[in-house]
Amino acid sequence: MTDAVDAQETLEAVLKDEIIRMYEDVAEKPQGEYHFYHGREAAELFGYEKNLLDRAPAGAVASFAGVGNPHLRSQLQPGETVVDLGSGAGLDSIIASWSVGPTGRVIGVDLNPTMCRKAQAHAAIAGTHMECREGRMEEIPIADGTADAVISNGVVNLSFRKRKVVQEVFRILKPGGRFAFTDIVSAKQLSQSIVNDPKLWAS
Ligand SMILES: C[S@@+](CC[C@H](N)C(=O)[O-])C[C@H]1O[C@@H](n2cnc3c(N)ncnc32)[C@H](O)[C@@H]1O
């Protein structure tokens, strides 16, 4: 193994620990201070319908940690199968499950099993169902050609291997499927001190 590959694997492991810590923190202590928008304030800012936020479990809304609103473009239809990459505390999966209805299916994917359990519990409180699979978006634990749509909210930017993530998304989509994601892009090169800071990368 080369030094560069070694270094990347070490950085990825550090980042994974930071991601697990950060999003569990938001889920456990949503009232805490974070340097990114979260909870109902963020969801309203991103144009989530108020009636959906009122209807969703308070815990899922308070722990929402997305960066935009993938539902504005996903055009989910009743009966569709949708995959939510990095499903977190479950708000996006719950909204997706209401859109695809009882004949549809929502599969969340999250690297953190604690977040998976939270999302499934929130979905049950919401009177709907989502299955959450523990796994990484770089190796999505879902068979080829499964999804009519993949949604994701503020998760692709967390990966060191974004090209691999996009390849994986295309692998699990059915022919003609859709990928609706919201994310963060910087128009200028970030300084190395920002790039190398796991706390900043994780958020
Ligand atoms: C920005 S939140 C997602 C917001 C979520 N859609 C919601 O409704 O609140 C990020 C989630 O992505 C998960 N995540 C981060 N990196 C991941 C990866 N490589 N593969 C899968 N999940 C990942 C984190 O564990 C966290 O739960």
Side-chain angles (χ1 to χ4, degrees):
M1 208 181 289
T2 66
D3 286 352
V5 173
D6 261 354
Q8 172 153 333
E9 286 185 355
T10 307
L11 273 174
E12 272 196 273
V14 172
L15 181 62
K16 180 181 173 191
D17 289 348
E18 185 55 31
I19 286 170
I20 287 176
R21 194 197 62 72
M22 170 100 56
Y23 292 102
E24 274 190 21
D25 230 30
V26 179
E28 296 300 331
K29 293 176 272 180
Q31 69 292 348
E33 291 263 318
Y34 301 94
H35 59 274
F36 50 88
Y37 290 114
H38 67 285
R40 183 158 186 135
E41 183 192 10
E44 288 190 4
L45 187 70
F46 303 144
Y48 280 66
E49 287 175 37
K50 288 192 179 165
N51 69 311
L52 296 181
L53 298 177
D54 292 341
R55 201 175 145 203
V61 177
S63 303
F64 168 72
V67 300
N69 186 345
H71 309 284
L72 294 176
R73 287 178 182 266
S74 59
Q75 298 183 324
L76 298 178
Q77 304 298 321
E80 286 192 323
T81 295
V82 53
V83 172
D84 181 13
L85 283 189
S87 35
L91 180 65
D92 286 317
S93 289
I94 289 167
I95 291 175
S97 75
W98 286 333
S99 300
V100 299
T103 58
R105 183 179 179 204
V106 176
I107 309 171
V109 175
D110 205 291
L111 65 77
N112 184 348
T114 305
M115 297 309 288
C116 264
R117 282 193 291 278
K118 270 189 195 302
Q120 289 179 157
H122 284 147
I125 294 170
T128 185
H129 176 75
M130 65 136 347
E131 172 196 352
C132 187
R133 298 190 187 171
E134 180 187 347
R136 306 191 67 128
M137 62 185 154
E138 295 85 354
E139 279 132 36
I140 303 174
I142 292 178
D144 299 0
T146 298
D148 297 289
V150 174
I151 61 170
S152 172
N153 195 350
V155 184
V156 178
N157 71 86
L158 299 174
S159 179
F160 272 87
R161 294 181 281 147
K162 298 177 177 60
R163 185 182 293 270
K164 182 72 183 354
V165 173
V166 174
Q167 284 168 346
E168 280 290 274
V169 167
F170 277 80
R171 179 183 65 73
I172 66 165
L173 278 173
K174 293 177 185 171
R178 292 138 17 234
F179 183 23
F181 71 105
T182 47
D183 228 300
I184 298 173
V185 177
S186 172
K188 62 177 186 186
Q189 182 67 41
L190 299 174
S191 72
Q192 213 50 39
S193 62
I194 293 177
V195 172
N196 287 348
D197 186 333
K199 280 196 172 49
L200 294 177
W201 191 310
S203 58

